[in-house]
Amino acid sequence: MSVESDAAAQITQLLGGRIGASLLLVEQPQPDTLRFEIDPGAVRAAAKALVQDTPARYLITVGIDERPLDRGFAIVHLFSLDSEHLFLALDCAVDSENTRIDAITPIVPGANWAEREFRDAIGVEPEGHPDPRRLMLPDDWPEGVYPLRRDFRYDYHPPSAGNVRPVLREPPKGSSVIPMGPFFPTLEEPAHWRLFVEGEKIVGCDYRGFYNHRAIEKLGDSAMTYDKLPFLAERICGICGFIHSTCCCQALEKAIGIQAPARARYIRTIMLELERIHSHLLWLGIAAHIVGFETLLMQSWRIREPVMWLTEEISGNRKTYGMNCVGGLRRDIPADLTAKIQEVLLPVERELRAVRQAIVGDTTILARTKGVGVLTRQWAEQIAVVGPPARASGIAIDARVDHPYAAYDEVPARICVQEGSDIWARVVVRMDELEESLRLIRAATAAMPGGPIRTEIAEEIPPGRIGISVVEAPRGEAVHFVMTGGDNRPYRWRVRAPTYPNLQAVPAMVQGETVADVPITVGSLDPCFSCTERVEAVDIRNAKTRVYSREELLRMWQEKSAPGGER
Amino acid sequence: MTPELKGFLLLAAIKVVVGFGGLLLAVALVTWLERRQAGFHQDRLGPNRVGPKGLFQPIADGIKNFIKEELVPADADKFLFLIAPALVFTPALLLFAVIPFAAPLPVSFDFELPVVGRFVHDGVMPMMVADLPVGLLFVLAISSIGVYGIVLAGWASNSKYSFLGGLRSSAQMVSYEVALGLSVISVFILAGDVTLSGIVENQQQKLWYVFPLALGFALFVVSALAETNRLPFDLPEAESELVFGYHTEYSAMKFAMFFLGEYAALITMAALMATLFFGGWDIPFTTWDESEPSLLKTALTFGAFATKTVFFVFMYIWIRWSLPRFRYDQLMALGWKVLLPAALSYLMLLSGAIWALEQLGIEQGPLYGFILCIVNLPAIYALFWVIDSGRLVFGQRLQRRTMN
C-alpha cells in the first residue's frame, strides 16, 4: 500500500503549525505509519489538532516503560487517518521522575479507558482526566505497584492491600440502584453495571469490569518469544482468536519488514471471514435469547455448526486454529477442501435468507429494537466506536477497507452502513455482513494463488522497531501494536479489542431507556469481555454448605491464585 | 347424616381426588410436552432418556426438586416467603373445580359398610368437581388470587429483581384481567347463563361460540396468555433482565410450586377456551351425545374435551416458542390502549347485533350464528389492523424493501 506523501506532509505541516518546536521528530517507519515525537506538554494541543482539523480517528494509547532505553515513560497515542490509509502515532516521552502527562480525554472522550489503563499499568498520571479511577487492576492490588513496568517480574504476586471495595459512583438523588452483574444471566462473562433508575427509567450508570485480568500483554513482552506470541494472541478470545493471531502476526511482520506470501494472505482472508460468519451467527442467537426468542437462538446456532465443522476440517480445531505464525501460516488448505468450502456455505446461505425473512417479519423484534439503544453518530465518533455499532450509526469505517491487510486489497470488501443508529440498524448491518462474508469467501477461494505459505525470517529481528496492525473482527476493529525488543521478544505488545471502545458507549446508549432494554442494548454491541480484559475465570469449589463472608472468599481467592496455589 | 348425603360426599371426595390427581398428572405431562415440543420446534430432541420417550422426566425432576436444598434469604419475610408459592399453586388448581370435563354420568349404588353405615346415590352425576351456580364468576374471582402469591413472593424475597418482577406482574395481571373479564361477558350475553355446565349445554344444542364470538375468543386467548405469564408476556419472570423476577430467590420445592402453578393455570386456561368457545365436552357433527347419559357417552365426551384442551395447550406452547418477549411498557400499552377499548367496543357491537336479531325475531340457531359471524369479521380485521400498526401483515413488503 503506497502512501501519498503529500498527506503525510500535510499532517506534519499542520502539527508543526500548531505545536511549533514541541514537535521534536517526524519519521515514517513504514509507508502506512507516521510517528511524531512530541514534547509531553504539547500532547493535548496535538491531539486537538488531529481530531478537530483532520478526519483522524482515535485508536488507542500505549504506555511503554522505556526507562531501560533512557527515555523515561513513553505514552503513544495512536490515531487512524482512514481516508489516507495512515496510522499516526503521537509519541511523548514522560520524565521518569515526574510521571505526569496531560490527559487527552477532555478532547478525545474515547481515550477515557486507555488513559486510566496506563495509569494503572505503568503509573503515569493523566492530569485533568475526568474520571481517574482504577480500571483494570483488582480492587485489592496495592497502590504504587505497576505491573507493566519492566522491573516488575511477570510471575510476581504483590501482597494484597486488604479488603478494598471498588470506588463506585453513588446514584443521583431520588434514584435507586439496580445491579446488573458481576454475574448476570444474559452476560456470558463477568461485568458489573450499576444502573441508576427512577422507576424503570435509567438516569445513569457506572461500570466496573476487568474482573479477571490475565495479564496476557505482560506475558507477551516478558515470557514469550516471537514464535510463541501468535498462539498466545489466539487465546485472547474464544470467538475471534484467529483475528488476534493474524493481527499480532501482521504487526510483527510489519515491524520486521516482511510480508506473508500471497497464498497465506488469501487463506487468512478465508479464515477471517469464516470466523466472522460463525461469530455473527453466535451473536444473532444470543441477541434472540436476550429478547426471549429461544427458537431463533437454537436455529442460528444450528446453522452455525457446519461452519465450525469446516474450520475443524481445515485446521483440526473448531476454534483456536493455531494456524498463524509470524511470516505466514503453518497449515495449507488442500485442494479438495477448497471445493468443500463452497459446498458447506451453500446451505448456510440458503438458511440465512430464511432467518432474515423471519426477523424482518417479526413485529415484536422490530418493537424491541427499533429506536432503542440509540447511539447518535456524534457520540459514536467522539467515543471512537468501531465495527457494526459504528456502521449502524452511519460511520463508514471498516479496517478491511481503511487499512487493507491479508488479501483484502485484491478481494475488496463492501462496507455495510445503516443510518438508524439503533439496535435494529445493528441487526441489519450484521445480517448484511454475513452475506458479504459469504461473497468474500467465494471470491477469495476462486482467486487463491498457489505457492508457499510462509516467508522465512532470514536474520535476527532488530530491537526498537514498531508495527501497528488492525484487523476487522466481527465486533469491530482489533488493534495490535508491537515494539520489538532484544532477546527475540517484543519490548511492548499492546492489544486493543473492539469491545474496548464500544463498551464505553454503553452509558450514552442506555440513558433514558428502561431496565428491560439494557440487556439487549449491551448485547447489541456483541460485547466480548475476555478480549477486552484479557481475562480468565477462577472457580471456587465449596463442598459443604456454609456461609462465606466477603473476607473469607477474598482470602480463599488470594490463596488459590497465589503462585503455586491450588488451581 | 342421611345415606343420600353420605353418598353425595363419597362421590365428591372421589371426584376431588380423581380430578385434582388427574390435573397434577396432566401438569407433569405438560412440562414434558413443553420440552419435547420446544425441542421439535428448535430442531433438537428434548428430554428423551428417562423412560419411554422421556415420559418419566417429570418424575425425575420432581424427585430432584424434593431433595434440593431449600434456601430462604436471610433478610426475607419468612412467613410471606413460605406462603407465597402456595398462594400461586392453590388457585391454579381450584379453578379446575368448576370445569365440566365430560358428559354427566349415571351413578347408582346402595351399599353398607361397617362403622360408617349406608351409602346411597341414584341419578346423574355431573362430571365436574363442583357445579357452582356462580360458575364462571368463581373462575374470575379465584384467578385474581394468584396475583397475591406473586406480589408477596416479590415483596418477601427482599430482592430488587424479585420486587420489580412482583410489581410488574401485579400490574400486568390486573390489567389483563379486565380484558379477560370483558371478553367473557360476550359469552354471558349469548348464553344467558354463568354456570359452565349451562354454557356447554347451550353450545351443544346450538352452536359453538367460537363462530358467533370469534373476536371475543381472540381477545380471550391474548388475555389468557398474559394472565398466565406465558411468553410473549412473561415479563414478571423476564429471565434476561430481572433474573426470573419474582422467583429469583426461590429454590427446590417452593420453586416447583410456582412452576406447577404456572402449568396448572395453563391447562385450566386451555380447558376454559375449550369450554367457553369450543363446546366443552361436545362431540362435533353428532347429535348422539345429546342422548341419555351413559358410561360410553361420558368416556367419549371426556375424550373430546381432552382433545380440545390438549390442542390449546399445544397452541400455547407453539406460541411460546415462536415469539420473542415484549417489553413491559409495550405490554401495558397493548392491554390498556388496544385490548380494553377493543373489548368494550366489541361488547357494544355484539349487544347491538343481538338486540337487532331479537327485534327481527330470529331464534338462536344456524342463521343467528351466521349473522353474528359476519358481524365479527370486520371487527377482527379492524383489531388486527390496529395491533399490527400497519407493519406485519399490511406493511411487510414495505419493510422488506427498507431492509434490503
Side-chain angles (χ1 to χ4, degrees):
Chain A
M1 180 58 51
S2 74
V3 170
E4 289 169 32
S5 53
D6 57 335
Q10 266 176 14
I11 298 282
T12 312
Q13 205 179 6
L14 175 86
L15 269 184
R18 285 303 161 83
I19 60 174
S22 298
L23 181 59
L24 305 174
L25 174 82
V26 183
E27 61 169 357
Q28 199 161 2
Q30 284 108 31
D32 67 346
T33 309
L34 199 58
R35 178 170 165 270
F36 303 96
E37 265 188 50
I38 60 170
D39 185 80
V43 64
R44 207 176 271 179
K48 191 171 181 178
L50 286 185
V51 291
Q52 293 186 352
D53 299 328
T54 72
R57 180 166 59 83
Y58 175 76
L59 290 179
I60 189 64
T61 303
V62 194
I64 313 173
D65 178 8
E66 293 191 353
R67 287 176 303 169
L69 309 177
D70 287 331
R71 277 197 69 223
F73 295 102
I75 300 296
V76 188
H77 295 296
L78 296 181
F79 292 84
S80 160
L81 200 58
D82 297 327
S83 53
E84 308 293 343
H85 313 301
L86 203 58
F87 296 114
L88 310 173
L90 292 182
D91 192 339
C92 323
V94 178
D95 184 41
S96 55
E97 298 301 318
N98 181 24
T99 53
R100 288 164 190 286
I101 188 170
D102 283 342
I104 62 165
T105 307
I107 295 158
V108 190
N112 188 329
W113 282 17
E115 295 201 314
R116 284 164 71 183
E117 185 166 340
F118 73 62
R119 177 183 171 275
D120 284 5
I122 63 166
V124 174
E125 191 67 33
E127 276 195 332
H129 193 285
D131 183 20
R133 287 180 296 168
R134 188 169 272 192
L135 179 77
M136 66 163 198
L137 292 179
D139 299 327
D140 69 338
W141 188 271
E143 288 289 337
V145 179
Y146 303 108
L148 279 183
R149 288 192 173 180
R150 299 296 294 182
D151 49 12
F152 184 98
R153 271 185 61 89
Y154 75 93
D155 55 355
Y156 173 61
H157 197 84
S160 162
N163 183 10
V164 185
R165 286 184 182 269
V167 187
L168 291 171
R169 259 186 241 126
E170 284 309 309
K173 208 168 174 355
S175 60
S176 53
V177 178
I178 293 184
M180 224 186 92
F183 296 97
F184 202 76
T186 48
L187 298 174
E188 306 88 66
E189 293 168 274
H192 184 173
W193 268 276
R194 208 170 136 85
L195 304 172
F196 306 144
V197 294
E198 278 171 13
E200 291 218 11
K201 188 169 160 264
I202 292 164
V203 294
C205 85
D206 195 10
Y207 174 78
R208 169 71 180 153
F210 293 79
Y211 276 104
N212 301 300
H213 201 278
R214 258 185 307 178
I216 277 193
E217 283 174 12
K218 184 70 186 174
L219 276 182
D221 51 30
S222 55
M224 298 280 176
T225 49
Y226 290 128
D227 53 341
K228 299 172 189 157
L229 204 53
F231 303 101
L232 180 64
E234 188 141 21
R235 280 153 182 82
I236 288 175
C237 180
I239 300 299
C240 39
F242 194 80
I243 277 136
H244 284 292
S245 70
T246 306
C247 201
C248 176
C249 288
Q250 285 175 358
L252 282 167
E253 285 158 13
K254 261 191 203 170
I256 298 164
I258 57 169
Q259 207 189 17
R263 185 172 176 83
R265 286 187 286 121
Y266 269 87
I267 293 177
R268 277 182 183 170
T269 303
I270 293 169
M271 298 307 285
L272 287 172
E273 292 306 323
L274 282 175
E275 212 157 58
R276 189 182 323 280
I277 291 175
H278 82 62
S279 174
H280 275 358
L281 283 170
L282 177 97
W283 170 81
L284 188 64
I286 294 174
H289 169 68
I290 293 175
V291 295
F293 199 173
E294 308 296 327
T295 302
L296 183 58
L297 159 77
M298 293 292 173
Q299 294 291 355
S300 62
W301 285 23
R302 179 182 57 75
I303 300 171
R304 174 177 179 253
E305 206 52 30
V307 183
M308 313 285 286
W309 293 335
L310 181 66
T311 58
E312 185 177 5
E313 266 191 79
I314 293 173
S315 72
N317 272 324
R318 288 160 61 87
K319 277 304 316 156
T320 318
Y321 313 134
M323 280 171 75
N324 264 324
C325 59
V326 182
L329 295 174
R330 296 169 61 233
R331 197 186 263 264
D332 202 349
I333 299 185
D336 56 327
L337 271 181
T338 317
K340 186 159 182 193
I341 292 177
Q342 311 281 3
E343 208 178 293
V344 170
L345 292 184
L346 267 180
V348 171
E349 185 169 28
R350 196 181 59 240
E351 291 190 295
L352 266 182
R353 237 175 254 138
V355 166
R356 195 188 172 112
Q357 291 292 324
I359 295 176
V360 176
D362 199 298
T363 330
T364 323
I365 291 187
L366 209 63
R368 286 298 310 266
T369 58
K370 195 116 195 165
V372 175
V374 173
L375 180 66
T376 58
R377 183 179 176 141
Q378 193 198 352
W379 262 108
E381 277 175 349
Q382 284 206 347
I383 304 173
V385 168
V386 293
R391 291 193 280 276
S393 293
I395 307 172
I397 51 167
D398 189 323
R400 294 175 289 180
V401 178
D402 299 332
H403 302 281
Y405 52 91
Y408 289 113
D409 46 351
E410 286 156 44
V411 191
R414 183 175 65 90
I415 306 185
C416 310
V417 185
Q418 287 284 323
E419 298 292 337
S421 309
D422 51 8
I423 296 172
W424 177 249
R426 283 164 220 148
V427 176
V428 178
V429 163
R430 289 199 176 90
M431 296 303 285
D432 285 346
E433 284 185 6
L434 278 169
E435 281 177 21
E436 179 64 10
S437 288
L438 287 164
R439 189 189 66 77
L440 280 172
I441 293 173
R442 290 222 177 86
T445 39
M448 187 158 67
I453 55 163
R454 184 170 184 182
T455 307
E456 289 301 325
I457 305 167
E459 56 202 57
E460 195 166 322
I461 301 160
R465 301 236 193 124
I466 63 165
I468 304 166
S469 166
V470 293
V471 164
E472 187 69 23
R475 290 155 185 79
E477 176 194 60
V479 185
H480 282 231
F481 169 95
V482 174
M483 180 176 167
T484 58
D487 200 16
N488 219 15
R489 296 166 206 273
Y491 190 85
R492 179 78 168 92
W493 171 45
R494 175 73 165 98
V495 180
R496 195 220 54 193
T499 310
Y500 196 86
N502 287 357
L503 270 187
Q504 298 182 52
V506 168
M509 287 160 64
V510 299
Q511 189 77 28
E513 305 281 357
T514 62
V515 175
D517 286 327
V518 175
I520 182 65
T521 304
V522 173
S524 75
L525 295 174
D526 196 0
C528 179
F529 301 107
S530 78
C531 300
T532 312
E533 304 172 1
R534 294 140 268 156
V535 202
E536 124 187 334
V538 178
D539 113 27
I540 295 175
R541 284 153 287 174
N542 23 355
K544 277 189 300 190
T545 312
R546 53 165 295 202
V547 179
Y548 288 96
S549 71
R550 186 183 143 87
E551 286 72 28
E552 279 177 304
L553 285 171
L554 265 176
R555 204 191 59 239
M556 282 169 58
W557 167 72
Q558 279 155 2
E559 280 164 10
K560 282 194 177 178
S561 54
E566 183 199 349
R567 277 274 161 185
Chain B
M1 209 185 278
T2 61
E4 283 76 19
L5 180 62
K6 274 195 267 186
F8 172 77
L9 287 179
L10 178 68
L11 276 182
I14 291 173
K15 278 194 290 190
V16 166
V17 170
V18 172
F20 290 142
L23 181 60
L24 283 177
L25 184 67
V27 166
L29 286 179
V30 168
T31 61
W32 170 84
L33 176 72
E34 166 115 289
R35 295 163 70 183
R36 286 290 279 181
Q37 198 183 326
F40 287 118
H41 282 302
Q42 299 173 353
D43 211 355
R44 56 190 176 84
L45 289 171
N48 65 346
R49 296 287 135 172
V50 192
K53 300 271 176 202
L55 264 173
F56 296 159
Q57 184 69 38
I59 301 174
D61 287 345
I63 294 172
K64 180 191 78 178
N65 274 321
F66 268 114
I67 60 179
K68 269 175 97 168
E69 186 192 357
E70 297 272 358
L71 292 174
V72 179
D75 293 331
D77 183 326
K78 299 230 167 34
F79 175 70
L80 293 182
F81 189 80
L82 290 178
I83 205 169
L87 272 180
V88 170
F89 183 59
T90 320
L93 284 186
L94 272 185
L95 285 186
F96 204 75
V98 293
I99 296 175
F101 47 84
L105 182 69
V107 181
S108 300
F109 56 77
D110 183 354
F111 61 92
E112 189 153 353
L113 289 176
V115 187
V116 281
R118 189 160 165 246
F119 292 82
V120 172
H121 190 273
D122 188 18
V124 184
M125 177 182 76
M127 290 300 276
M128 55 207 290
V129 175
D131 192 3
L132 295 181
V134 289
L136 204 48
L137 298 179
F138 174 83
V139 171
L140 293 178
I142 294 295
S143 73
S144 323
I145 290 182
V147 186
Y148 285 102
I150 290 176
V151 175
L152 288 180
W155 172 255
S157 301
N158 199 6
S159 143
K160 282 173 182 166
Y161 302 126
S162 305
F163 185 55
L164 270 180
L167 281 186
R168 277 186 182 188
S169 161
S170 51
Q172 170 181 337
M173 290 172 94
V174 168
S175 315
Y176 277 84
E177 224 147 70
V178 180
L180 189 82
L182 285 175
S183 65
V184 166
I185 288 183
S186 64
V187 177
F188 294 162
I189 292 179
L190 210 57
D193 195 347
V194 294
T195 62
L196 285 164
S197 50
I199 289 169
V200 170
E201 209 170 301
N202 214 323
Q203 294 183 68
Q204 188 199 17
Q205 284 155 10
K206 288 159 190 158
L207 187 66
W208 285 10
Y209 287 163
V210 65
F211 300 111
L213 300 176
L215 185 60
F217 175 64
L219 292 173
F220 187 86
V221 170
V222 177
S223 314
L225 276 174
E227 193 64 15
T228 47
N229 291 332
R230 293 277 297 181
L231 218 126
F233 301 130
D234 65 340
L235 277 294
E237 293 176 23
E239 179 198 350
S240 61
E241 65 232 41
L242 291 185
V243 207
F244 290 101
Y246 59 87
H247 57 64
T248 305
E249 306 290 344
Y250 282 88
S251 62
M253 220 36 221
K254 292 199 289 295
F255 165 75
M257 295 269 266
F258 282 119
F259 196 69
L260 293 178
E262 185 185 319
Y263 281 94
L266 166 80
I267 294 174
T268 310
M269 281 297 171
L272 271 180
M273 282 176 207
T275 307
L276 292 179
F277 295 98
F278 284 80
W281 45 259
D282 180 36
I283 302 171
F285 312 117
T286 60
T287 49
W288 167 83
D289 54 359
E290 284 155 34
S291 61
E292 280 302 297
S294 69
L295 184 62
L296 179 70
K297 186 184 145 186
T298 302
L300 286 178
T301 49
F302 176 72
F305 173 79
T307 312
K308 290 171 195 173
T309 307
V310 167
F311 171 77
F312 286 114
V313 169
F314 176 82
M315 188 187 79
Y316 255 93
I317 298 174
W318 189 2
I319 291 175
R320 169 165 181 185
W321 297 107
S322 312
L323 288 176
R325 181 184 300 123
F326 279 95
R327 204 172 59 214
Y328 178 62
D329 54 320
Q330 291 165 348
L331 174 86
M332 294 306 271
L334 180 69
W336 288 107
K337 292 184 187 161
V338 179
L339 289 190
L340 183 64
L344 279 174
S345 11
Y346 180 60
L347 277 186
M348 283 166 62
L349 180 76
L350 192 74
S351 327
I354 288 176
W355 177 78
L357 285 172
E358 273 174 14
Q359 294 299 305
L360 293 171
I362 299 173
E363 288 288 309
Q364 285 206 4
L367 179 65
Y368 187 91
F370 181 72
I371 293 172
L372 279 183
C373 206
I374 299 289
V375 169
N376 265 292
L377 285 179
I380 287 186
Y381 185 85
L383 176 69
F384 278 93
W385 193 82
V386 171
I387 288 184
D388 189 42
S389 312
R391 279 196 305 262
L392 178 61
V393 186
F394 298 93
Q396 198 173 19
R397 207 175 301 128
L398 179 88
Q399 206 181 84
R400 289 226 171 87
R401 208 159 45 229
T402 52
M403 187 151 171
N404 289 328

